Amino acid sequence: MATVTASSGDATGARRGWYKRNEIALTPWLFLIPGILFFAVYVIIPIFQSVWISFHEWDGLGTMEWVGTANYERLLTDDRKFDVSFWNNVRWLFLYLLAIPAGLFIALFLNQTVFGIRLYKSLFFFPFVISQVVVGLVFSWFYLPREGLLNALLAVFGMGPVNILGDPNLATYGIIAAGLWPQTAYCMILYLTGLNAVDPEQVEAARLDGAKGWKMLWYVILPQLKPATFIAFVVTIIGALRSFDLISVMTNGGPFGSTRVLSFYMFEESLSEFGFRMGYGAAIAVVLFFLMLFFIAYFLYSMWRDEKGAR
Amino acid sequence: MFPKPIENRSRGAQIGYQALLPLALIFWLLPLIAVALFSIKPDADFTNGNYWGLPSSFEMFTNYGKVFFESDMPRYMINSFLITVPTVLGAIALSSMTGFALGVYKFNGNLLIFFMFIAGNFVPFQILMVPVRDLTVNLNLYDTKTGLILFHIAFQTGFCTLFMRNFIRQLPYELIEAARVEGVAEWRIFWFVVLPLMKPALAALAVLIFTFIWNDYFWAVVLTQGPDAQPVTAGITSFNSQFRAAYHLMSAGSIVAALPPVLMFFLMQKHFIAGLTLGAVK
């Protein structure tokens, strides 16, 4: 009897000892498991599933039929909608970057200490807090051909009227302009925070050396704003490639499909009245994913460089 | 400070600047001001072509009353709250754990897992759409709030982990070491040492995630349909077809839908901005 008790006591003691000895090695994994599990199920695994689905023809319900690279071949050879979407994405990518200098400009304008400036700063930030759906609705009223405020303003200068969202050549630019509104606000906040951290002694020293205006901005201020510029660049690129809400709300891809982008076209192929072509939709998503991966890799690479420097 | 402080400039420049501020603000918010004005106008103003003049009568209570009592808007709003609040809590719980693990411990694969969270957070939604929709249907969660909540928690954990981990990295490591020397168990270090220090980070993330989830549209459209589960962003578009060209009601509805994140922002401004600009200052 005595030996049994003793040995079981030893066993629990040893077990507790084993955990205690390995506590520092085990704890991080215990803390990570729920997060990794969730993230894997809903984010990591679906990426691979989408790649797999893109090699099939599938309506989302029946059996999947293996078609090899047929979806991709069709995308790249004879799909005019894909071409339109791709080039619209390129437009978004380049024009969206205007939010960065625009944000810097507004940040410089607001970077003063006068009465009530904090309220001004937060009101300028307003557009970013509002849902893109609401921004989209607001701008589609703003652009209305007869009643819209834009045409009322143009009339003051003896111009117009224009029907921006009804014109296939203009509609995409109209939507991008709407998207630039919140994005500029975001970049502005990034730069305002960055400007707060600018070293006043360096500015003073440069001033004594006779630097001012553009030269000061370019050689003294902008180098110190590099972290802000980097983040602004990342979020703007990602935002440009993710654009969906505005297009869906403002034109629903029209007129004549001229405002489609890859993210919208993918949605349309897989989940709209045109049918449930999941395989083809997945192929579009994979193309978009690789486009984005290019920027994600760049972002991760620079983070990794920072991490190495920190150690 | 750059540009040159305005108080060191001439009197004229100071007055000019003070005058320019409100003008610039009005121009910047012009579309919103127009909508606010729309929302208190009577319907007759629109049929008479009085789009941009002042309201001919003050109809704020009629318009907002209609939104609240004669449409599905209240249901959509409640759905939005029931989706957003659990998501915020879930994402923060998961990510304070992952952030703690990745920020405090050195082990093989630490950076790899961290980068997996970051990379996953930046992928286009469309690459997840078909499998996630499928999974949700298979779990019998299509068109439920739970289905949306589970996905949002998982996805937001990516961004939150990035945030939490970097925040924990900035805490004084000596505190943790001191606790270890005292023989405090690791999970107690998390609960009694690290978590209390993370309050500002938790607040920042809570406001940010609230706004992100409240404003989400894509997943609302992909994973739900109809007023039983849909949040207000998706609801407002069906509201749009219900009240076609009823600009006064649409405007009132949009303002109601936009209000919660706007209030959140004004109440928690400092935290909100701290969250957004993470890493923008070094």
Side-chain angles (χ1 to χ4, degrees):
Chain A
M1 280 306 267
T3 43
V4 172
T5 330
S7 74
S8 80
D10 270 2
T12 47
R15 217 177 297 135
R16 192 173 298 143
W18 182 81
Y19 175 76
K20 256 272 144 307
R21 258 182 286 125
N22 295 289
E23 193 180 10
I24 292 198
L26 285 173
T27 318
W29 294 105
L30 293 177
F31 273 94
L32 277 170
I33 283 168
I36 290 184
L37 212 67
F38 252 70
F39 204 67
V41 167
Y42 271 107
V43 182
I44 304 298
I45 296 169
I47 296 175
F48 294 99
Q49 285 175 315
S50 273
V51 177
W52 174 246
I53 293 168
S54 74
F55 294 111
H56 294 79
E57 209 174 289
W58 187 40
D59 62 1
L61 294 167
T63 46
M64 294 206 280
E65 189 191 336
W66 176 266
V67 291
T69 54
N71 284 331
Y72 292 98
E73 282 162 30
R74 218 184 94 208
L75 270 185
L76 298 175
T77 53
D78 60 8
D79 186 347
R80 208 188 61 82
K81 292 179 189 170
F82 178 79
D83 291 347
V84 172
S85 310
F86 179 81
W87 287 110
N88 274 341
N89 261 129
V90 173
R91 285 192 188 101
W92 270 90
L93 216 49
F94 280 100
L95 290 176
Y96 225 47
L97 289 175
L98 287 176
I100 297 175
L104 176 63
F105 176 78
I106 299 182
L108 288 174
F109 174 63
L110 292 177
N111 193 36
Q112 297 286 357
T113 36
V114 295
F115 178 74
I117 196 73
R118 277 196 53 191
L119 186 65
Y120 277 107
K121 285 177 185 170
S122 35
L123 286 171
F124 266 88
F125 186 62
F126 230 88
F128 182 78
V129 189
I130 299 168
S131 150
Q132 296 236 334
V133 174
V134 175
V135 171
L137 287 173
V138 169
F139 265 82
S140 37
W141 298 330
F142 185 69
Y143 287 146
L144 283 174
R146 275 184 305 121
E147 312 90 338
L149 187 55
L150 178 68
N151 280 324
L153 289 176
L154 285 177
V156 174
F157 298 101
M159 290 187 290
V162 285
N163 180 4
I164 291 192
L165 295 182
D167 183 337
N169 295 319
L170 290 178
T172 287
Y173 299 106
I175 301 175
I176 295 175
L180 277 174
W181 194 43
Q183 195 64 29
T184 300
Y186 190 178
C187 294
M188 174 204 81
I189 281 288
L190 289 174
Y191 277 123
L192 274 175
T193 317
L195 281 170
N196 260 337
V198 163
D199 181 8
E201 280 178 23
Q202 273 193 40
V203 177
E204 253 345 283
R207 226 166 239 155
L208 288 179
D209 286 342
K212 55 184 173 190
W214 281 111
K215 273 206 159 144
M216 172 83 103
L217 179 66
W218 189 257
Y219 291 108
V220 184
I221 308 295
L222 273 183
Q224 295 189 62
L225 290 177
K226 225 176 129 191
T229 307
F230 178 70
I231 305 243
F233 181 72
V234 172
V235 293
T236 305
I237 294 279
I238 305 269
L241 287 174
R242 269 192 185 162
S243 53
F244 173 86
D245 300 6
L246 286 174
I247 295 158
S248 171
V249 170
M250 291 174 79
T251 60
N252 205 20
F256 316 116
S258 62
T259 54
R260 280 196 189 98
V261 292
L262 291 177
S263 65
F264 185 80
Y265 182 37
M266 184 276 164
F267 177 81
E268 207 178 43
E269 281 291 321
S270 340
L271 277 189
S272 77
E273 63 261 47
F274 299 114
F276 286 73
R277 290 198 295 215
M278 301 280 184
Y280 199 57
I284 302 169
V286 170
V287 173
L288 180 62
F289 174 68
F290 277 103
L291 221 61
M292 201 102 101
L293 205 56
F294 181 76
F295 295 102
I296 298 174
Y298 166 70
F299 181 47
L300 286 182
Y301 170 71
S302 41
M303 278 200 77
W304 178 72
R305 230 179 22 198
D306 285 356
E307 287 293 324
K308 259 191 7 183
R311 269 162 206 276
Chain B
M1 185 174 158
F2 182 85
K4 194 175 176 181
I6 198 83
E7 55 268 27
N8 300 346
R9 292 277 190 95
S10 70
R11 190 93 191 104
Q14 285 184 37
I15 294 171
Y17 182 72
Q18 293 276 16
L20 206 56
L21 272 177
L23 287 180
L25 183 70
I26 289 174
F27 181 72
W28 181 243
L29 294 182
L30 204 54
L32 272 184
I33 296 168
V35 171
L37 218 60
F38 272 20
S39 77
I40 56 169
K41 278 187 176 186
D43 197 16
D45 275 6
F46 294 96
T47 41
N48 297 335
N50 176 18
Y51 281 92
W52 305 107
L54 290 171
S56 62
S57 62
F58 181 76
E59 300 294 341
M60 180 173 150
F61 294 107
T62 340
N63 292 345
Y64 284 87
K66 275 205 178 113
V67 168
F68 272 109
F69 299 111
E70 290 169 36
S71 78
D72 279 330
M73 277 304 269
R75 285 175 80 182
Y76 290 125
M77 292 288 281
I78 292 169
N79 287 344
S80 271
F81 275 109
L82 291 179
I83 291 164
T84 308
V85 173
T87 302
V88 169
L89 296 177
I92 283 183
L94 283 185
S95 62
S96 49
M97 285 161 64
T98 52
F100 174 72
L102 294 171
V104 168
Y105 299 90
K106 276 186 189 157
F107 57 92
N108 280 335
N110 182 319
L111 216 52
L112 196 75
I113 294 175
F114 181 48
F115 279 11
M116 173 197 84
F117 279 116
I118 302 174
N121 168 57
F122 283 132
V123 299
F125 296 146
Q126 279 72 11
I127 192 97
L128 312 177
M129 186 186 107
V130 174
V132 166
R133 186 175 182 276
D134 222 39
L135 177 68
T136 309
V137 170
N138 289 337
L139 291 171
N140 251 331
L141 291 173
Y142 181 74
D143 198 24
T144 64
K145 295 175 206 82
T146 318
L148 262 182
I149 292 168
L150 286 179
F151 171 77
H152 280 319
I153 290 180
F155 192 80
Q156 294 304 329
T157 299
F159 171 75
C160 296
T161 300
L162 164 67
F163 186 98
M164 291 283 194
R165 183 263 190 193
N166 285 353
F167 188 88
I168 290 173
R169 267 300 176 91
Q170 289 166 5
L171 297 177
Y173 191 70
E174 300 82 53
L175 279 175
I176 294 162
E177 277 184 329
R180 272 189 193 145
V181 172
E182 295 281 320
V184 180
E186 295 296 311
W187 70 269
R188 286 174 151 267
I189 294 181
F190 170 70
W191 193 257
F192 292 109
V193 179
V194 174
L195 216 48
L197 292 171
M198 287 203 306
K199 272 182 197 150
L202 299 177
L205 271 181
V207 204
L208 268 184
I209 302 301
F210 183 93
T211 313
F212 290 165
I213 301 304
W214 186 278
N215 288 341
D216 163 70
Y217 175 68
F218 182 77
W219 292 104
V221 180
V222 170
L223 298 181
T224 59
Q225 53 185 8
D228 285 338
Q230 268 188 340
V232 72
T233 40
I236 194 115
T237 48
S238 56
F239 190 70
N240 193 9
S241 38
Q242 187 187 345
F243 294 101
R244 201 181 300 277
Y247 294 116
H248 58 309
L249 296 184
M250 278 302 300
S251 309
S254 307
I255 286 180
V256 168
L259 223 48
V262 166
L263 279 179
M264 200 68 152
F265 167 66
F266 269 103
L267 292 176
M268 308 273 287
Q269 218 186 99
K270 211 182 83 200
H271 296 299
F272 190 98
I273 289 170
L276 270 187
T277 53
L278 166 86
V281 193
K282 280 232 170 101

